Amino acid sequence: MIQYVSMKIDGAIFKVPKGSSVLDVAIEYGICIPHLCHVPNISDLGACRLCIVEHVVEGRSKVTTSCTLRVQEGMVIKSNTQKIKRLRKNIAELLVSQAPNSKAIQDIAVRCGVKTVRYPFRNDNCVLCGRCVRICREQWQAKAIGFVGRGKDRRVKSPFGVKSETCKMCGNCIDLCPMTITPCDGPMKPGEEYLCGKCESQLMEAESAVDQCIMCGLGEGFQCARH
Ligand code: SF4
Ligand code: SF4
Ligand code: FES
């Protein structure tokens, strides 16, 4: 039998199944918490840190990722405080600097209030979100790709750098990767630290600008007109 707990997000009370994550609850009830590495029905890694919230315990708050935080009876969550908005904007800015050509990441950053990027562009073509690795392992039990290396050398690769025989050629790893979405205004170059801003106009003029939607699938629960 499903057990329920009572908890608060931004002052609103919810009765939700025990074991849900705070992000699941937010998505279910249309509360806007930006997220990138979360994939529905796949385990959460807490990699991108975009989904941070304040968890208030006995008057003291702790910043934590909502995708990895399980709901508890009496839990109090604040998802949109000034502190969270400032930290989240910085995280989004770092993600853009890591992969400036990802339209999906630019869109998320714009929605987090990023207008310019203060960090040097790295053009990594991967933000280590782990969406590809987890879908491969959990959906297909294939483990055809995985993380290798540490720190700035960390990468996603197939075992020993050769195409794995366990790969089912399903293409899910590519479909879920925020890097595979075509950049809207061509590649961004060092020295051109701007964001395209199309997502921003899409938010403001949802009806007239829907054709600009790239269906990135990352706007769920995040003020996106297409979700
Ligand atoms: S295409 Fe291959 S590597 Fe990619 S998710 Fe499917 S099984 Fe894994
Ligand atoms: S390859 Fe894409 S999906 Fe995989 S970790 Fe990097 S950014 Fe994420
Ligand atoms: S969605 Fe929670 S850390 Fe990425």
Side-chain angles (χ1 to χ4, degrees):
M1 196 169 74
I2 301 173
Q3 287 184 307
Y4 288 84
V5 296
S6 193
M7 50 97 63
K8 275 187 189 174
I9 305 181
D10 300 336
I13 301 172
F14 300 99
K15 221 168 172 57
V16 296
K18 197 175 175 179
S20 318
S21 74
V22 170
L23 182 61
D24 284 337
V25 175
I27 291 171
E28 175 73 21
Y29 289 96
I31 297 167
C32 164
I33 297 181
H35 52 274
L36 174 69
C37 65
H38 169 76
V39 181
N41 303 316
I42 295 289
S43 69
D44 281 301
L45 190 64
C48 73
R49 297 198 59 78
L50 270 173
C51 70
I52 51 169
V53 291
E54 283 192 58
H55 178 197
V56 186
V57 183
E58 294 174 357
R60 301 185 66 162
S61 78
K62 201 171 106 181
V63 174
T64 184
T65 50
S66 60
C67 64
T68 54
L69 183 63
R70 300 288 139 197
V71 293
Q72 293 161 14
E73 182 62 38
M75 183 180 242
V76 176
I77 298 294
K78 294 182 181 176
S79 77
N80 215 16
T81 60
Q82 288 306 318
K83 181 178 179 180
I84 289 294
K85 283 198 259 193
R86 180 172 45 79
L87 291 172
R88 194 182 276 152
K89 187 175 165 194
N90 195 50
I91 291 166
E93 214 177 312
L94 283 164
L95 284 169
V96 176
S97 75
Q98 207 174 345
N101 291 318
S102 164
K103 173 74 170 78
I105 289 174
Q106 284 194 40
D107 283 359
I108 287 179
V110 166
R111 283 179 265 174
C112 290
V114 176
K115 302 272 187 213
T116 52
V117 182
R118 292 166 296 165
Y119 304 105
F121 284 5
R122 284 168 39 194
N123 290 310
D124 281 351
N125 285 327
C126 174
V127 287
L128 303 175
C129 67
R131 289 165 70 94
C132 55
V133 173
R134 283 172 291 141
I135 198 78
C136 184
R137 187 183 57 213
E138 296 178 29
Q139 178 102 335
W140 299 104
Q141 286 77 47
K143 293 188 184 168
I145 48 177
F147 286 114
V148 293
R150 288 174 181 272
K152 64 179 174 48
D153 294 324
R154 196 158 168 78
R155 295 281 180 273
V156 173
K157 285 199 168 158
S158 48
F160 309 109
V162 290
K163 186 178 167 297
S164 171
E165 287 179 2
T166 59
C167 176
K168 316 247 191 273
M169 305 290 283
C170 67
N172 287 167
C173 53
I174 296 166
D175 294 342
L176 282 177
C177 177
M179 300 299 120
T180 59
I181 297 163
T182 315
C184 52
D185 274 338
M188 292 171 76
K189 300 184 186 72
E192 295 178 1
E193 286 86 354
Y194 64 88
L195 299 181
C196 75
K198 282 184 180 169
C199 183
E200 193 173 37
S201 59
Q202 188 180 325
L203 288 173
M204 289 161 61
E205 302 169 52
E207 291 309 312
S208 59
V210 286
D211 287 348
Q212 293 170 356
C213 181
I214 54 164
M215 302 296 284
C216 66
L218 296 169
E220 196 181 359
F222 188 25
Q223 298 176 350
C224 179
R226 299 303 287 263
H227 283 276

